[in-house]
Every structure is written in C-alpha cells, then in structure tokens.
Amino acid sequence: MEQFTASIIAKYNYWIYVTLMMIGFYAMIGKRNLVKKLIGMNIFQTAIILMFVSSGVKIGAKIPILDKHKALEHGIGVAGVVNPLPHVLMLTAIVVSVSVTGVALAILLRIYRKYGTLDEDEILEKLGK
Amino acid sequence: MKLLQEQTQKLKIGESLIIQTASRLLIPFIQLFGLYVIVHGHYSPGGGFQGGVILGASFVLLALAFDQKFSMQYMSEKTSGLLANTGALIFVGTGTLCAIFGGLFLHYSALDVLIPLGPIEWRSFGIFIVEVGVGLAVMSNMAILFWVLGSNGEMDEGL
Amino acid sequence: MKALALFTTLVTGAVLLYGTMDFPAFGDPQSPASTHISAYFIEEAVHETHVPNLVTAVLGDYRGYDTMFETVVIYCAGLAVISVLRRKKSDKEDSRS
C-alpha cells in the first residue's frame, strides 16, 4: 500500500492530465449540444498539450533560451536546459487546435442556419421526417 | 486627446466612449508589440505564430470596440486574403529558392550564393524570413476567422 | 445514456492511469523523451544556426517541413471558413437551403 501511494505521488502530474481528459471526453460523448461537444474537444486538446509539455521538464533546469556567446565558447550541459522538442510540437499543435475550432464553429453556424437548432436530438428529428 | 474624443463621438457605433478611446490609444502599441514579438523571436520567447496572433488580436479588439465595418477599413477582405497568400508563399518560396540554388528543400545555407553572409548566418536569417511569412499568414487568418464567424458570413456590422 | 457515457469515461481514465505506471516520473532528466535527439538539439543548435532560442531554431530549421505545413493548415482553415460560411447580403431571404 505504501508503495502504491509513493508511486502515485511520484507521478501525480499524470492524474491531473487524465482527469482533464476525462472531463473533455465526457463532454464530447455525454452532452447533446454541439457547442458543448466542441468545448469538450478543446478541453481534451488542452490536456494532451499539458502532458506533452510536462514530458520535457527536467528538475532544476532553465528555459531553452541560451546565452549565445557563452554557448559558442563553452558548450552547453544537456541536463541544465529543458527539452525544447515538446515545446515546438505543442506550439504547432495549438495552432492546429485553433484552426480546428474555427472550422468546427463555421460548420456549426451552417448547421444552425439550416436547422435552427444546435441540439443533437432535434437535428436528428428534423433529418428523420 | 480632444480630437480622439470628437472623432469617436461622431461615429455613434459600438461600445461606450471610454472603451473606444482606450482601445484607439492602445491598438498602435499592441501592433508594435506584435511586430516586436515576431522580429525578436531569435532572442526571447516569441516567433511567427505568437506575434501573428497578437497582431490579429488587435484587429479583433478594433472590431469589438467599434464595429466590424470600421475594422475592415484598415484591412479589407481582399487585403487579408492577399496577406494570407503572401505569408504562405514566402515560406514555400524560401524553401523552393533553396532547392533551386543547389541545396535541399528548406536548407537555408544554399542561399549563400545570392547574398554572401556565410552559411551559418544564412541559417539564422532564413529562420527570420520564414517567421515573417508565418506571422503574416497567421495574422490575416485570425482576422478572417473572427470576421466571418462573427458576422455569420455577411461581413457587415458583425457582433 | 448519460450513465453509459460516464461509465465509458471512467473506464478510459482507468486504462490510461494503468498505462502511466510505466511512464517516467515528473521532471526526470533521464526520461526517454529527453535523451535521444533533444540532447543533440541542445548541444549543437547554437553552433549550427547561431540562434540562441532553441525553440525557434528547431521550429524554423530542423523541423521546417512541420512548420511549413502548419502554415498551410491554418491557411486552409481560413479558406474553409470562407467557403463554408461566406454569403452575399442580397440573397439573405433564400439562403435557408
């Protein structure tokens, strides 16, 4: 039991991401309103972005912006600088998330123009007649 | 200051006078800061994406404080489309130029044939060119997204 | 229906938490994400590109393809929003179709 709690405390960050992901996932599959589904998808993306950024953390390291002349003369210790690769990946992932949100909102507006509602059940009813 | 107040009073659109005057005063500095973030991306947190979003947000603020037609006087629909095209073309064109001048695609050192700066300095400068292209594309696309979504596709008064 | 959704969510969360048992601890410098190629980026990026900001160096140079298609993605998003939503004001009456 003590080993279990110790392992939870060592990896507490994953619990945060999984909880955030569960909130977003529940909103995506449990809610009947399309805008709420979209907001759930955004929360899901935020959880994934947080997880990736945290995978680059090193305890006691600095941000990946170096002193140019010092770096050119003496070189850089790998353990002293945070891993820059997840930051780059997530920078592009945020832009994709913005684009996806924009296109999804456009499609939602188009659905509202045609059916006059954003509720899933009412749209299905109007489609079925 | 008096002139600004008179100008905003004459328009009779959008939000209250305080918000309009304050955003009129703030927007030039927001745009300057966006340019700084793009250009200073080599030495501080920043780059094309972040600076482009700040530049686009200035147009969104203009459209929210006044009204959408007023903000489109400063960057019309055609101009924003043109800027989006230009940004994407700058990026792809830089990569293609590198391929033409004897390197691989997006291998900026090959551009040393054009302007002799040294291959390593060209890699730094190529990143700068590319970031400017990204900033232009992101700025105009943010503005387009807000304008079209905010006015339900009609591009008139908007929200 | 809501109970089923809640059940699915909880099962997914439990499976993911079980999966994190093998993950490295928070802030571990020896984690697989920061040992292979990122060490090369940290050591060599300033020498090879003269850019002190490593994120910009990796974004613009080493992963230039990624960033290029990122620009294309956001360009396509603007294009898609315009083509889905844009309409002229004159045909407002018969635009319900």
Side-chain angles (χ1 to χ4, degrees), chain B residues 89-124:
Chain B
L89 265 181
I90 285 175
F91 205 134
V92 182
T94 314
T96 317
L97 266 186
C98 299
I100 287 173
F101 284 104
L104 298 171
F105 190 70
L106 282 174
H107 192 257
Y108 308 121
S109 321
L111 290 176
D112 200 27
V113 188
L114 272 183
I115 307 167
L117 281 176
I120 297 178
E121 288 303 319
W122 253 111
R123 282 182 88 164
S124 174

Side-chain angles (χ1 to χ4, degrees), chain C residues 17-85:
Chain C
L17 277 177
Y18 176 71
T20 61
M21 304 261 267
D22 295 334
F23 274 39
F26 181 64
D28 184 11
Q30 295 302 319
S31 68
S34 37
T35 44
H36 294 284
I37 197 163
S38 82
Y40 172 78
F41 284 148
I42 292 170
E43 280 168 347
E44 297 296 328
V46 183
H47 291 281
E48 286 184 357
T49 63
H50 280 191
V51 177
N53 190 344
L54 295 180
V55 176
T56 305
V58 178
L59 184 83
D61 198 306
Y62 296 101
R63 295 187 67 89
Y65 258 63
D66 194 6
T67 315
M68 187 181 87
F69 285 106
E70 207 58 47
T71 319
V72 175
V73 161
I74 193 164
Y75 177 76
C76 286
L79 214 62
V81 167
I82 286 180
S83 52
V84 166
L85 225 52

Side-chain angles (χ1 to χ4, degrees), chain B:
Chain B
M1 185 63 91
K2 192 117 188 274
L3 191 76
L4 263 178
Q5 281 179 355
E6 277 165 10
Q7 273 180 356
T8 43
Q9 246 168 353
K10 232 188 290 168
L11 284 169
K12 296 250 182 269
I13 45 172
E15 296 288 331
S16 77
L17 180 66
I18 297 171
I19 296 176
Q20 289 188 349
T21 315
S23 49
R24 270 216 145 159
L25 283 174
L26 268 177
I27 280 167
F29 294 104
I30 294 175
Q31 289 179 338
L32 197 65
F33 179 65
L35 280 178
Y36 164 78
V37 168
I38 292 180
V39 176
H40 215 252
H42 282 39
Y43 298 96
S44 66
F49 290 114
Q50 297 93 321
V53 168
I54 292 173
L55 280 176
S58 72
F59 286 99
V60 173
L61 177 62
L62 201 62
L64 283 177
F66 292 90
D67 106 338
Q68 195 164 312
K69 264 190 181 156
F70 186 78
S71 78
M72 285 171 74
Q73 285 173 3
Y74 292 92
M75 188 163 82
S76 71
E77 202 185 347
K78 255 184 195 165
T79 320
S80 52
L82 211 65
L83 279 178
N85 279 306
T86 318
L89 265 181
I90 285 175
F91 205 134
V92 182
T94 314
T96 317
L97 266 186
C98 299
I100 287 173
F101 284 104
L104 298 171
F105 190 70
L106 282 174
H107 192 257
Y108 308 121
S109 321
L111 290 176
D112 200 27
V113 188
L114 272 183
I115 307 167
L117 281 176
I120 297 178
E121 288 303 319
W122 253 111
R123 282 182 88 164
S124 174
F125 191 56
I127 292 173
F128 174 74
I129 298 174
V130 156
E131 295 268 19
V132 169
V134 170
L136 279 181
V138 171
M139 173 191 80
S140 45
N141 273 312
M142 284 296 136
I144 288 173
L145 284 185
F146 178 77
W147 284 337
V148 179
L149 288 174
S151 68
N152 201 357
E154 281 161 6
M155 292 281 203
D156 50 358
E157 281 84 17
L159 291 172

